Amino acid sequence: MLNTAECIHTEAAWNALCEIVEAIGDPSDLDGALHLIIRSLVQLTGSDRGFLLWLSKAGQLEIGAAVNFELEEWGESAPGYRLAQEALQRRQPLIADDLQPEDGSALDSPRSAICIPLTISGETSGVLYLDSREPGAFSQEELPLLRAFAGQAAIAIKNSHLHETLRQAERA
């Protein structure tokens, strides 16, 4: 039996997911859909920040949307870079429960993180990343919800690519 707080959280998650399904219906607004997905997840999970990475045509991870994360921060030394790379290679969700600050002093450094690959039809197109300054902020119980949101992001990316291919074919 769900308690009141769980019911409210579940309803908020379903409402957010419905809003996202509606947003990805417009393949010309990939940025809007990806930002909606990451904003919703940061809010629903109580994360401090999050970003959605997608694989460019060159095979590089690029930030597609971010909340409380500056695009200039992204790179091999960025928090979450190695975790995102590992989740992408394994094609499996990864939870890091007790991250240690790399310089030993940063109070704002993430202490826990979760990465969910964006996979559709066996093809991985990116990674969803969330982190928190609280150790142990993410659990296995959240994976089904996070996978649902990651799946919607994968669909949005694929739809956008198909839309662009169609537009190029029409021009030719």
Side-chain angles (χ1 to χ4, degrees):
M1 172 77 78
L2 295 175
N3 64 33
T4 303
E6 289 171 328
C7 286
I8 291 169
H9 187 265
T10 301
E11 182 178 354
W14 278 112
N15 287 339
L17 199 51
C18 288
E19 190 176 346
I20 288 164
V21 167
E22 190 174 313
I24 66 172
D26 180 4
S28 65
D29 188 18
L30 179 61
D31 287 342
L34 296 181
H35 278 91
L36 177 60
I37 290 167
I38 201 68
R39 268 193 327 266
S40 297
L41 282 175
V42 166
Q43 183 178 22
L44 286 169
T45 62
S47 302
D48 291 312
R49 64 185 182 172
F51 50 84
L52 206 145
L53 304 166
W54 58 283
L55 285 169
S56 69
K57 290 180 182 176
Q60 300 296 315
L61 279 177
E62 296 180 3
I63 293 185
V67 172
N68 300 329
F69 187 86
E70 298 299 321
L71 299 180
E72 297 81 35
E73 292 179 61
W74 180 245
E76 290 186 25
S77 63
Y81 182 87
R82 285 188 293 274
L83 194 64
Q85 289 284 2
E86 188 176 344
L88 188 63
Q89 289 171 351
R90 288 185 182 187
R91 295 182 177 199
Q92 293 292 322
L94 295 176
I95 298 174
D97 290 328
D98 194 13
L99 298 172
Q100 298 300 316
E102 296 201 10
D103 65 3
S105 64
L107 294 175
D108 287 342
S109 293
R111 296 297 308 275
S112 57
I114 189 166
C115 287
I116 309 290
L118 309 179
T119 304
I120 183 171
S121 302
E123 183 180 319
T124 302
S125 57
V127 178
L128 184 149
Y129 172 92
L130 300 168
D131 69 26
S132 174
R133 290 185 295 268
E134 298 295 321
F138 304 102
S139 69
Q140 294 289 326
E141 289 79 32
E142 293 172 301
L143 283 179
L145 174 68
L146 294 173
R147 281 185 164 157
F149 279 78
Q152 294 304 306
I155 291 169
I157 292 167
K158 185 158 189 130
N159 284 349
S160 178
H161 289 190
L162 290 172
H163 179 72
E164 184 60 32
T165 300
L166 181 62
R167 286 184 50 210
Q168 289 174 359
E170 286 174 349
R171 279 186 241 145

